[in-house]
Amino acid sequence: MSESSLVITPQWNSPKHIVAYTSTRQGGVSTGDLDGLNVGAHVGDDLLLVKANRALLPYHEKLSWLEQVHSNKVVVLPSADTTADAAYSSSSACFCAVMTADCVPILLCDNEGKEVAAVHGGWKGLESGVIANTISQFNAAPSSIMAWIGPAICQRCYEVDQHLAEVFVAYPDALLKSSSTGKFLLDLPAIAKAQLVALGLTDVVSSNLCTYCEQEQFYSHRLATHRGKRATGRIVSVIGITER
Ligand SMILES: [Zn+2]
């Protein structure tokens, strides 16, 4: 299988020496419920298969894998501490990587391509400021940083209860009443975009890809739950600086 089908790349105007992609679930060696290119080592998959899958990724030897815990913590690479939900790098030796399966992956890069970051934006991270914490690591002004919002669960597919809807009342455009009583449809990618714009970013591109709708292409935690599965795989979103 060609490399191009293993990953999708952002349609944005990043400098040529910036590498950015999100893996798909196509082309890997995992089997069963995790069938495909699962890169998550914490979802019950055979670790040898996860390792083989990760080795298929472009620049895999440079990726810094995190222990993601739905926090608002950012690490600056290289970092001995890997418990975090965002990574920042200004070094061509260390690429940022975040795993998702419905949560919002956000890739960031300054206009000159000297600084990059990747963010795992689940609802807890978005609520607690993981995006703001990541932007604050940049030396570049927010207006000089571009963002790409990768594949994540879309509003139509993300029904939540009132409690979770109330967490995001400050984002009325991201909330719709569901046809189910007392339920709402929450638009996590729209919340991520609103936060990026509020922080001063002007160049924010949305992939508009849904991990639940595009079942052949991605892993979806919510879809797996709806099908009674205990676990699903993970895709990874990566950004790094190559030598100029
Ligand atoms: Zn969807």
Side-chain angles (χ1 to χ4, degrees):
M1 182 162 292
S2 71
E3 196 169 88
S4 60
S5 56
L6 299 176
V7 302
I8 58 168
T9 54
Q11 302 297 306
W12 65 352
N13 296 314
S14 67
K16 292 279 181 283
H17 64 282
I18 297 298
V19 169
Y21 65 82
T22 297
S23 66
T24 69
R25 69 180 295 173
Q26 294 175 3
V29 294
S30 294
T31 58
D33 293 344
L34 304 173
D35 179 51
L37 189 74
N38 167 49
V39 299
H42 60 296
V43 295
D45 202 354
D46 181 332
L47 293 182
L48 286 175
L49 299 182
V50 174
K51 195 175 172 191
N53 287 335
R54 289 181 174 187
L56 295 169
L57 299 171
Y59 297 91
H60 60 91
E61 70 285 355
K62 294 195 174 199
L63 272 55
S64 296
W65 297 89
L66 300 176
E67 308 292 325
Q68 299 172 194
V69 290
H70 291 278
S71 71
N72 61 10
K73 192 174 136 196
V74 190
V75 288
V76 175
L77 302 178
S79 171
D81 179 6
T82 57
T83 303
D85 287 273
Y88 164 95
S89 176
S90 57
S91 159
S92 60
C94 300
F95 281 24
C96 305
V98 290
M99 286 178 280
T100 55
D102 286 344
C103 292
V104 187
I106 301 144
L107 299 179
L108 300 159
C109 158
D110 76 299
N111 286 342
E112 294 180 26
K114 292 179 174 171
E115 306 175 85
V116 294
V119 181
H120 162 234
W123 74 261
K124 287 179 186 169
L126 294 179
E127 182 203 13
S128 62
V130 69
I131 291 179
N133 289 352
T134 308
I135 296 296
S136 71
Q137 295 293 338
F138 279 75
N139 294 308
S143 58
S144 303
I145 301 170
M146 66 189 77
W148 182 68
I149 297 172
I153 195 162
C154 78
Q155 185 171 30
R156 199 156 45 87
C157 295
Y158 194 45
E159 187 176 75
V160 301
D161 62 20
Q162 180 149 358
H163 171 73
L164 185 46
E166 283 171 358
V167 170
F168 292 105
V169 285
Y171 303 90
D173 293 347
L175 277 171
L176 283 176
K177 275 213 161 111
S178 169
S179 53
S180 320
T181 309
K183 302 279 191 182
F184 294 82
L185 299 172
L186 186 60
D187 192 339
L188 287 181
I191 291 167
K193 182 169 187 177
Q195 291 184 347
L196 289 161
V197 169
L199 287 161
L201 277 73
T202 55
D203 189 356
V204 181
V205 177
S206 298
S207 68
N208 293 319
L209 292 169
C210 173
T211 45
Y212 191 112
C213 291
E214 307 282 341
Q215 301 174 13
E216 303 295 315
Q217 191 85 333
F218 306 112
Y219 293 104
S220 168
H221 180 73
R222 172 78 49 128
L223 179 65
T225 303
H226 285 171
R227 290 186 172 167
K229 312 291 188 192
R230 282 180 52 233
T232 190
R234 293 292 182 276
I235 56 173
V236 64
S237 295
V238 171
I239 188 161
I241 304 167
T242 61
E243 303 289 352
R244 280 185 257 197

